[in-house]
Amino acid sequence: MERLQKVIAHAGVTSRRKAEDYIVAGRVAVNGKVVKELGTKVPEKATIEVDGIPIEREAPVFFLLYKPKKVISAVEDDKDRPVVTDYIDETEARIYPIGRLDYDTTGLLLLTNDGDFANSMMHPRSNINKTYIAKVKGKPSKDTLQRLSRGIKLDDGKTGPAKVSFKSGNKKNDTSIIELVISEGRNHQIKRMLEAVGHPVLKLKRERYAFLTLDGLDPGDFRSLKPVEVAKLREMAVT
Ligand code: URA
């Protein structure tokens, strides 16, 4: 369920701010009944009228993008840097990224215009696994890898259990490749975890999101999710 003013704004009727004014003024009806309460949540199938005219709600769309580096995970940027939605050029829908990858992180990012879906994917209890490949400074010891997998104390609390594996090392450059599978999605989580154990991240890529991979895609490429993939993700998540 989404907030009424958001649904009206998403349908392109007016801004979210003005939609609030319309609601308070009694110009909005949900399933035939005037609703003046701001923040009222409306189910996906509700009929919403503004001044007696039904609004057309956007059909939900779902995309998987291979985010390149030097791209912001947002719909616009005040410094005019490229944003992830620039890459999805086959839809007019008001899509946005589900969560964030850092400016310099590459990899798998989902985008949608479906607020319920996005919220359920990001819900902390949804436990959706995300697989990252990190190039780090130095060579983490077995003990360090175990600490990472048990959870690391960060300034916003201890991280949950992670699956951590050493992939390869480069003695000459003093770097290593580490794979981490986490189900949380805190800000800069992987970088903070590795920094905390003395192995700062030099490069980061998200290779998998649940069962989804980047197979067949190059940086900047995208594809629509198949209905069966969307259904499977919904099943995995808390609603
Ligand atoms: N963790 C990070 O530190 N950065 C990302 O972009 C994603 C996960």
Side-chain angles (χ1 to χ4, degrees), residues 101-102 105 132 188-191 204:
L101 290 178
D102 294 335
T105 299
Y132 293 91
H188 313 303
Q189 180 163 344
I190 299 286
K191 289 181 187 166
L204 186 61

Side-chain angles (χ1 to χ4, degrees), residues 40-104:
T40 300
K41 296 218 171 157
V42 287
E44 217 160 289
K45 295 231 159 67
T47 307
I48 297 162
E49 289 162 287
V50 176
D51 294 333
I53 301 166
I55 65 165
E56 284 208 22
R57 294 175 78 173
E58 270 177 3
V61 290
F62 307 90
F63 294 99
L64 183 167
L65 171 70
Y66 187 161
K67 179 193 168 300
K69 55 176 151 194
K70 299 195 178 159
V71 178
I72 304 278
S73 294
V75 297
E76 56 184 21
D77 180 51
D78 50 11
K79 295 194 197 112
D80 241 6
R81 290 169 294 184
V83 294
V84 286
T85 46
D86 293 344
Y87 288 85
I88 318 284
D89 51 11
E90 78 174 28
T91 181
E92 296 287 310
R94 270 163 274 254
I95 54 170
Y96 45 84
I98 301 180
R100 246 180 284 164
L101 290 178
D102 294 335
Y103 184 62
D104 56 351

